[in-house]
Amino acid sequence: MLHLLLGRALMRWLDKISEGPSQAPPPNQPDSVEEPVATHDEPTEEPAADPLDWVYPKVQRRAMGSMFEIYLAGTDREAMLAGGEEALDEVERLERQLSHYRDDSDVARLNIHAKEQWVRLEPRLYELLKRCKELSTATDGAFDITAGPLVKAWGFFKGEGRIPSESELSEILNNLGTERILFDDEDHLVYFTNPKLEINLGAIGKGFAVDVAARTLHFFGVDHAVIHGGQSTIYALGEPPSDYPTEIPGPEVTNDETESPSHIPQHSSLPVGWPFEIKDPRDRETVLETVYLKDEALSTSGNYEQFFEVDGKRYTHIIDPRTGMPVQGMMSVSVIADNAADSDALSTAFFVMGREATEEYCQAHPNIRVIMVEESSADIAVTKIGFG
Ligand code: AMP
Ligand code: MG
């Protein structure tokens, strides 16, 4: 139906973007693709470019094991592309700094040396670790960046699932916890009080990178954009322009690779913000909720992202750091917060905490919205918090 409203030039542009992801041209290179024009009338010939026409370029890059994409909307194409590329450069820099898979990252260096001596950290990473400790305390240890050794014990670090012995698990449980990370605010120093402590930012790193990317876009004067890191964390900057012409992938609900765009076109009578559909993890045709985001983030943690099965039982990659066991019975948790580091960390935490503890947390933090999908005997149980 949307197509009927659009001019020929825009139709060709839409065809071009629907061919699949394509790298945006470098900012200073002329672009041969026609720009979309005012979308309501039906032009009979190619319109002349107007400097105030809205344009909707997209940039993307593979980083942190996912495809990061930025959908931009505004009138200054060159400035938006420059901001978009710089935002993606920041994401790459953060990957080099935060990854526990790289021997040369700051996190790897911290894991080796902080048990022997105080280690000085770059201020942004220092603040992130402090936020992680706060979130750990606020979630009674359900979110815990020191759960890295548990993730390894269950085989998720190398992607080869295994069931560890009870003694292996209790040995690990005796040696983790963010109370074992000490901070020196004056000099940005960190020290681990336990030699077996090891941090893993897998549950917050992508969200943090999305926040940094959003701040970079803002610095470059971009007022309307959506950024996502592999669809598990999305940040919506400003509002969508009316008649925003393309579809943006929403949260992924299975590990099936086929495309499932779930941003839906905005209509003027609907609430303000970029709309996204949250779908049923068993059936992606069923929409559980349409959410509207404006200067807000949406993260989803799911039992379908990484898992292995033994004797028909699913062992997922999200582990309760209090018991050492992968969480059972939870399918997906989507969280909306005002920044992506928090939404990312909290989606993992609420996955571990379950319904009651999540409701309690949200009573104390009314700005947080949650959609939780649990397995129940024959059906699923959907809990919505903060949706009125
Ligand atoms: P997410 O997909 O954001 O929920 O993050 C899950 C990833 O975080 C896992 O693949 C692990 O690397 C790590 N992780 C697993 N359980 C926890 C936990 N309870 N707290 C913090 N990180 C965790
Ligand atoms: Mg997370």
Side-chain angles (χ1 to χ4, degrees):
M1 191 187 71
L2 179 67
H3 283 188
L4 295 177
L5 301 172
L6 305 177
R8 276 187 299 122
L10 179 55
M11 283 295 292
R12 272 205 297 282
W13 180 75
L14 276 175
D15 284 343
K16 175 121 186 155
I17 56 174
S18 67
E19 279 166 15
S22 64
Q23 186 73 41
N28 55 358
Q29 195 173 302
D31 180 10
S32 60
V33 179
E34 286 101 332
E35 306 291 0
V37 292
T39 51
H40 284 299
D41 41 14
E42 190 89 57
T44 50
E45 55 190 47
E46 300 294 327
D50 179 331
L52 291 181
D53 279 346
W54 280 75
V55 287
Y56 311 105
K58 178 180 123 183
V59 292
Q60 62 180 40
R61 208 174 294 171
R62 187 155 275 287
M64 297 187 164
S66 317
M67 183 60 84
F68 274 73
E69 294 186 313
I70 305 179
Y71 293 78
L72 300 147
T75 53
D76 187 340
R77 183 185 184 86
E78 300 304 312
M80 283 193 292
L81 287 173
E85 293 297 340
E86 184 56 36
L88 293 173
D89 288 348
E90 283 283 5
V91 172
E92 275 189 346
R93 277 195 277 278
L94 285 168
E95 177 180 20
R96 287 197 292 275
Q97 182 180 40
L98 305 182
S99 173
H100 51 268
Y101 288 104
R102 301 173 62 115
D103 295 341
D104 58 348
S105 71
D106 286 1
V107 165
R109 189 170 61 88
L110 189 67
N111 282 337
I112 292 169
H113 299 297
K115 56 191 73 158
E116 297 147 6
Q117 63 195 67
W118 287 87
V119 174
R120 188 184 301 273
L121 291 183
E122 176 272 322
R124 204 163 56 175
L125 175 56
Y126 182 83
E127 291 306 325
L128 173 64
L129 293 193
K130 288 201 78 174
R131 181 66 185 142
C132 288
K133 186 164 175 170
E134 269 172 27
L135 286 165
S136 203
T137 308
T139 60
D140 283 330
F143 170 76
D144 188 341
I145 56 168
T146 71
L150 287 173
V151 176
K152 280 187 179 164
W154 285 93
F156 289 109
F157 188 66
K158 292 193 172 152
E160 296 160 0
R162 64 183 276 277
I163 300 180
S165 69
E166 272 182 36
S167 60
E168 195 181 344
L169 286 182
S170 64
E171 159 78 8
I172 296 172
L173 289 174
N174 287 335
N175 290 292
L176 55 76
T178 52
E179 69 279 6
R180 296 185 159 110
I181 308 177
L182 303 185
F183 293 90
D184 171 349
D185 288 346
E186 200 139 306
D187 294 315
H188 292 156
L189 301 173
V190 170
Y191 180 72
F192 294 169
T193 60
N194 184 298
K196 297 201 168 137
L197 208 72
E198 199 178 300
I199 64 166
N200 165 340
L201 299 175
I204 193 170
K206 245 193 271 180
F208 183 68
V210 165
D211 280 338
V212 171
R215 280 200 293 274
T216 307
L217 290 178
H218 189 67
F219 179 79
F220 274 74
V222 175
D223 294 324
H224 312 268
V226 171
I227 308 159
H228 76 84
Q231 293 166 245
S232 61
T233 288
I234 297 168
Y235 187 86
L237 189 64
E239 295 168 32
S242 55
D243 301 323
Y244 182 76
T246 192
E247 287 182 319
I248 299 174
E252 196 45 89
V253 291
T254 70
N255 62 359
D256 169 355
E257 291 283 304
T258 45
E259 280 262 305
S260 85
S262 60
H263 166 276
I264 53 169
Q266 170 95 341
H267 298 286
S268 52
S269 58
L270 290 174
V272 169
W274 297 83
F276 293 90
E277 290 174 341
I278 299 194
K279 296 187 180 154
D280 184 335
R282 299 162 315 163
D283 161 26
R284 51 171 41 180
E285 300 303 312
T286 305
V287 175
L288 299 176
E289 182 76 39
T290 301
V291 299
Y292 293 84
L293 306 184
K294 182 183 173 199
D295 300 324
E296 279 175 311
L298 164 67
S299 295
T300 301
S301 291
N303 71 348
Y304 43 81
E305 283 172 32
Q306 292 176 54
F307 65 89
F308 63 93
E309 283 176 340
V310 176
D311 297 335
K313 189 169 169 183
R314 180 178 289 212
Y315 296 89
T316 189
H317 67 132
I318 300 177
I319 298 171
D320 187 336
R322 287 92 48 110
T323 63
M325 297 300 291
V327 176
Q328 298 288 329
M330 190 65 78
M331 295 178 90
S332 75
V333 178
S334 297
V335 174
I336 297 171
D338 63 10
N339 69 81
D342 282 6
S343 64
D344 193 357
L346 290 175
S347 68
T348 311
F350 296 161
F351 197 98
V352 172
M353 287 155 69
R355 196 182 337 153
E356 273 179 37
T358 299
E359 280 168 347
E360 241 172 70
Y361 183 97
C362 293
Q363 267 165 17
H365 301 86
N367 57 323
I368 306 285
R369 287 183 280 166
V370 182
I371 295 178
M372 180 175 278
V373 183
E374 290 167 275
E375 274 167 324
S376 106
S377 43
D379 204 355
I380 55 167
V382 179
T383 304
K384 298 180 185 180
I385 304 172
F387 286 88

